[in-house]
Amino acid sequence: MSDLLIRNARIYDGTGVMGLSNRKPTPQELFELSKAVRECGGMYTTHSRSESASLFESVQECIDIAKYADIPVNISHFKVVGKTFWTRCSKALAMIDEANRQGLSVTFDAYPYTAVSTTTTSAIPAKFLDKGNAAFAKSLEDPNVVEAIRREIFEIDDPGWDNSALHAGLENFLIIGADIARELM
């Protein structure tokens, strides 16, 4: 870990593991980061990997980090996305309760409304975004790419990806703003 990370880890460490499209850190990388945070007396705060299909694995990863590094962990904006997954909420909360009964410090925060705010690209499979936004925008000129994206969004339920379009439904999307970068025009 860099000296800069270790100096700043005491103040704040937050990872947006779920929101990252192109490059998600491995569990081992998160464990290493959490050790650096522990050395500074900090806590680990994260948007966990999944809020739907892989919710239990995601919560377990947060618990494992708390155990491995012996640090407090906070799951930021805890929620379950998609009506088909709402029944998982009770078990996920029970997992957190059990971790705390075992002496770990695992907390969460939640906002008091039934909505999600994120980027539009969170509804796009990561493999289409791996070359950056400008390359992605250019790729949309190819009808075959557009069809492949449509197929993956609406026909393939990949448990490794929180597909907000499939799980929450596009009818529940509300685009409130769009900035178009010059390089995408």
Side-chain angles (χ1 to χ4, degrees):
M1 292 291 150
S2 73
D3 291 339
L4 179 63
L5 169 64
I6 293 173
R7 283 195 309 273
N8 290 319
R10 178 186 312 274
I11 300 166
Y12 173 74
D13 168 59
T15 59
V17 178
M18 185 202 128
L20 300 171
S21 299
N22 315 15
R23 168 67 171 89
K24 294 184 189 276
T26 66
Q28 188 58 40
E29 288 171 324
L30 294 178
F31 289 156
E32 294 303 316
L33 174 65
S34 65
K35 285 192 320 191
V37 171
R38 180 190 61 220
E39 290 171 18
C40 297
M43 71 178 292
Y44 177 72
T45 301
T46 186
H47 263 253
S48 55
R49 285 187 198 273
S50 176
E51 297 173 337
S52 57
S54 299
L55 175 68
F56 302 141
E57 296 84 354
S58 179
V59 169
Q60 187 60 53
E61 179 177 69
C62 293
I63 292 168
D64 291 346
I65 289 170
K67 187 173 187 176
Y68 174 81
D70 191 28
I71 58 172
V73 169
N74 183 70
I75 302 170
S76 214
H77 304 162
F78 178 84
K79 63 189 153 300
V80 181
V81 175
K83 289 181 182 179
T84 56
F85 300 109
W86 287 354
T87 58
R88 297 180 181 200
C89 189
S90 294
K91 180 178 176 185
L93 292 173
M95 292 169 68
I96 294 169
D97 286 344
E98 180 58 27
N100 284 298
R101 274 193 290 282
Q102 292 177 11
L104 300 176
S105 177
V106 180
T107 58
F108 65 90
D109 60 63
Y111 42 73
Y113 49 89
T114 56
V116 174
S117 177
T118 189
T119 63
T120 307
T121 55
S122 70
I124 306 295
K127 70 181 182 183
F128 294 101
L129 302 166
D130 62 357
K131 293 184 176 125
N133 289 341
F136 170 66
K138 181 78 174 151
S139 75
L140 295 176
E141 295 173 6
D142 181 344
N144 294 320
V145 171
V146 173
E147 176 56 24
I149 293 169
R150 188 210 60 76
R151 192 173 42 257
E152 289 208 26
I153 291 173
F154 296 108
E155 298 174 15
I156 300 171
D157 194 7
D158 177 359
W161 171 46
D162 273 7
N163 182 343
S164 56
L166 183 64
H167 298 157
L170 278 182
E171 68 277 9
N172 294 309
F173 277 47
L174 173 63
I175 297 175
I176 58 170
D179 290 329
I180 299 176
R182 288 183 190 267
E183 67 270 11
L184 299 181
M185 297 172 74

